[in-house]
């Protein structure tokens, strides 16, 4: 079987036995669930969950699991004239998702922001012609289901189909990446930002953390590095990791403003009364 951790949603390599514990959840950025380590399988998920999808804008569809499972993130299908790209991934691949993606022309490449969303990516790749899966090499140790479809990339920027580019920002993970799509948002550009640049409930802002569930911040130099990595690119909209968490416009200002606030908060605090 290929066990799936119910806390982070990652699928493990084929094995007759369950893993002892989930390596991704044993890491300090995650956690073992309150009831201890629990496992499931893709077949069980298909019985208990379904995928939902939403057309976000021309050429962009988001997918997520209902009811909410594990971390609860969304994945995106990006359609470009030179091919379709899946950004981030979820633990479930069911008939409605397969049919939807097939009608849109399938998947030519898959890119994932960081290990928390590696999930069942090998299943998605297999279903769509063994589409190549681009992961940053600095996070290679976190791949729990190795497969020939996985291609590690190095360095700071990787250009992929349709003018899309992957930008390594680091921070949350060494290889944490965002995807830049210049043609989105009426040619004003969009970032698909995973947990690397987190869209927060006040959607005029974003944030940056080493651990989100355990509230561990990043140092100033790591936040500055993220800002510097995206500074050369224009983007209006930011699609965050979770359903509806989207900065609708002025995304680049939101990132700058949020970084300034974050740096003030970790240096001196924001309470001006003191
Ligand atoms: Zn896990
Ligand atoms: Zn994460």
């Amino acid at each position: 079987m290929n066990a799936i951790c119910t806390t982070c949603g990652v699928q493990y390599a084929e094995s007759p036995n369950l893993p002892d514990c989930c390596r991704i959840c044993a890491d300090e950025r995650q956690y073992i669930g309150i009831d201890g380590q629990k496992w499931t399988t893709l077949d069980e998920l298909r019985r208990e969950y379904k995928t939902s999808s939403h057309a976000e804008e021309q050429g962009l569809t988001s997918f997520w699991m209902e009811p909410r499972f594990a971390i609860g993130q969304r994945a995106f299908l990006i359609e470009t004239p030179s091919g379709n790209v899946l950004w981030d991934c979820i633990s479930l691949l069911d008939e409605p998702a397969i049919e939807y993606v097939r009608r849109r022309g399938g998947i030519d490449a898959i890119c994932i922001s960081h290990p928390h969303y590696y999930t069942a990516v090998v299943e998605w790749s297999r279903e769509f012609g063994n589409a190549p899966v681009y992961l940053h090499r600095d996070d290679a140790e976190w791949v729990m289901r190795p497969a020939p479809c996985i291609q590690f990339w190095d360095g700071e920027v990787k250009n992929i189909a349709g003018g899309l580019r992957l930008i390594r920002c680091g921070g949350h993970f060494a290889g944490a990446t965002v995807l830049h799509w210049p043609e989105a948002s009426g040619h004003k550009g969009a970032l698909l930002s995973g947990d690397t640049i987190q869209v927060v409930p006040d959607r005029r802002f974003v944030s940056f953390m080493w651990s989100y569930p355990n509230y561990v911040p990043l140092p100033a130099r790591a936040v500055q590095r993220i800002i510097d990595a995206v500074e050369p690119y224009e983007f209006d909209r930011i699609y965050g990791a979770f359903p509806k968490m989207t900065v609708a416009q002025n995304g680049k200002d939101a990132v700058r403003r949020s970084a300034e606030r974050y740096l003030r908060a970790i240096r001196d605090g924001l309470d001006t009364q003191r």
Side-chain angles (χ1 to χ4, degrees):
M1 88 183 109
N2 295 95
I4 293 175
C5 170
T6 62
T7 306
C8 73
V10 74
Q11 188 185 47
Y12 278 72
E14 174 75 30
S15 162
N17 305 311
L18 292 170
D20 289 338
C21 81
C22 174
R23 273 191 52 210
I24 287 179
C25 288
D27 173 54
E28 283 184 48
R29 275 165 287 207
Q30 257 286 109
Y31 59 94
I32 305 293
I34 283 166
D35 299 325
Q37 179 68 52
K38 294 271 191 294
W39 302 100
T40 185
T41 62
L42 182 55
D43 285 341
E44 276 179 41
L45 292 180
R46 281 176 171 151
R47 284 193 290 274
E48 294 165 19
Y49 296 84
K50 65 182 183 66
T51 55
S52 285
S53 64
H54 177 65
E56 301 282 351
E57 63 170 270
Q58 179 73 31
L60 184 69
T61 306
S62 58
F63 297 88
W64 65 94
M65 289 174 64
E66 283 187 358
R68 185 192 156 109
F69 174 74
I71 296 174
Q73 77 277 11
R74 52 184 176 172
F76 294 89
L77 182 72
I78 306 165
E79 298 165 52
T80 82
S82 35
N84 292 353
V85 172
L86 185 76
W87 168 251
D88 278 338
C89 200
I90 53 178
S91 305
L92 177 61
L93 177 60
D94 61 2
E95 275 310 316
I98 292 169
E99 269 173 40
Y100 185 98
V101 173
R102 284 213 187 292
R103 279 202 307 276
R104 301 289 169 152
I107 294 172
D108 299 287
I110 302 176
C111 315
I112 303 190
S113 57
H114 74 296
H116 291 150
Y117 302 152
Y118 289 174
T119 58
V121 66
V122 174
E123 305 283 349
W124 282 74
S125 169
R126 283 195 179 164
E127 183 64 39
F128 297 101
N130 293 312
V133 177
Y134 301 122
L135 306 180
H136 199 282
R137 191 182 303 279
D138 285 358
D139 294 335
E141 65 179 297
W142 300 105
V143 172
M144 298 299 137
R145 187 180 177 188
C149 60
I150 295 173
Q151 298 182 19
F152 294 109
W153 65 280
D154 301 275
E156 305 308 313
V157 177
K158 179 179 175 60
N159 293 309
I160 52 174
L164 306 180
R165 57 174 69 88
L166 302 176
I167 304 162
R168 186 267 284 279
C169 295
H172 182 48
F173 271 79
T177 295
V178 298
L179 182 146
H180 181 232
W181 182 16
E183 297 309 313
S185 192
H187 304 286
K188 288 187 278 189
L191 283 188
L192 284 72
S193 63
D195 289 354
T196 311
I197 297 175
Q198 190 77 266
V199 177
V200 295
D202 177 354
R203 295 165 321 285
R204 299 167 302 167
F205 287 90
V206 297
S207 194
F208 323 88
M209 297 284 266
W210 187 73
S211 169
Y212 291 95
N214 302 322
Y215 308 111
V216 186
L218 286 169
R221 66 177 183 283
V223 174
Q224 190 60 52
R225 188 177 166 207
I226 295 169
I227 300 315
D228 292 346
V230 300
E231 183 57 33
Y233 307 102
E234 294 309 316
F235 54 93
D236 188 44
R237 205 164 279 171
I238 307 172
Y239 291 99
F242 299 102
K244 299 186 177 170
M245 289 293 113
T246 301
V247 176
Q249 57 189 5
N250 300 321
K252 196 159 176 179
D253 288 342
V255 170
R256 278 200 206 106
R257 207 168 46 234
S258 302
E260 281 168 20
R261 182 176 76 171
Y262 194 100
L263 295 175
R264 269 192 293 134
I266 60 173
R267 280 174 181 144
D268 302 316
L270 298 178
D271 184 355
T272 54
Q273 304 303 308
R274 283 188 302 128

